[in-house]
Amino acid sequence: MTEARDNFIAWLRDAHAMEEQAVTMLTAEAGRLDDYPELKAKVETHLEETREHARKLEICLDRLGDDSSSIKDVAGKATAMAQGLSGMFASDEVVKGSLASYTFEHMEIASYRILIAAAEEIGDMQTKSVCEEILQEETAMADWLATHIGGVTRQFLTRSEATR
């Protein structure tokens, strides 16, 4: 069971780094959505949820006698900053940002499903419960984006035509 536990802890560290990356990405994204108030409000709400996800994962890692990986956290944040900076120069940033967010949410969903299965396998019902709570919030955000991505795209196109 040690190898399974070691994998589980490594995956928890990965999830923590993923959440830290998401905080950086969502912070950059929210700062540039003034023309899209509904999307901005949703991103800011999810940003707060994401900060809480990282905190909950730290608690799980502490309980398991481990900690988050600083190297993975820094690498994730650096990647997110690069993505955020590259978006500043794209005229269709809101559309590309929505695409990236939708994709990222699905990566998070898959990660939490993996963690739930692994937690069950090693008998860590506390972490399983935490991951199930986080999974619900990630799924809700992905669903919200799926419902609103068409409207955001149309809003961008209308705005783009009006500025011509």
Side-chain angles (χ1 to χ4, degrees), residues 123-138:
D124 184 350
M125 295 305 121
Q126 280 183 279
T127 302
K128 177 187 176 207
S129 178
V130 167
C131 290
E132 288 171 336
E133 289 172 25
I134 294 172
L135 176 61
Q136 287 177 357
E137 291 177 348
E138 301 297 5

Side-chain angles (χ1 to χ4, degrees), residues 41-74:
K42 187 63 177 176
V43 167
E44 287 174 340
T45 298
H46 193 58
L47 173 58
E48 291 311 310
E49 290 173 343
T50 302
R51 285 184 175 122
E52 185 64 13
H53 298 167
R55 189 188 71 75
K56 287 178 178 180
L57 292 173
E58 284 178 22
I59 291 169
C60 290
L61 286 164
D62 286 344
R63 187 175 38 76
L64 293 166
D66 211 286
D67 60 3
S68 60
S69 169
S70 298
I71 293 170
K72 287 180 182 178
D73 286 351
V74 169

Side-chain angles (χ1 to χ4, degrees), residues 109-159:
I109 289 166
S111 295
Y112 286 108
R113 287 185 176 148
I114 289 166
L115 285 168
I116 290 164
E120 285 176 353
E121 183 64 25
I122 68 164
D124 184 350
M125 295 305 121
Q126 280 183 279
T127 302
K128 177 187 176 207
S129 178
V130 167
C131 290
E132 288 171 336
E133 289 172 25
I134 294 172
L135 176 61
Q136 287 177 357
E137 291 177 348
E138 301 297 5
T139 301
M141 184 62 180
D143 290 347
W144 189 93
L145 287 166
T147 301
H148 292 83
I149 203 164
V152 168
T153 303
R154 285 186 289 280
Q155 192 177 358
F156 166 78
L157 291 171
T158 301
R159 194 177 294 284

Side-chain angles (χ1 to χ4, degrees), residues 1-13 66 122:
M1 202 49 118
T2 342
E3 187 174 342
R5 186 177 185 284
D6 290 347
N7 282 320
F8 178 61
I9 289 172
W11 297 334
L12 274 173
R13 276 194 236 113
D66 211 286
I122 68 164

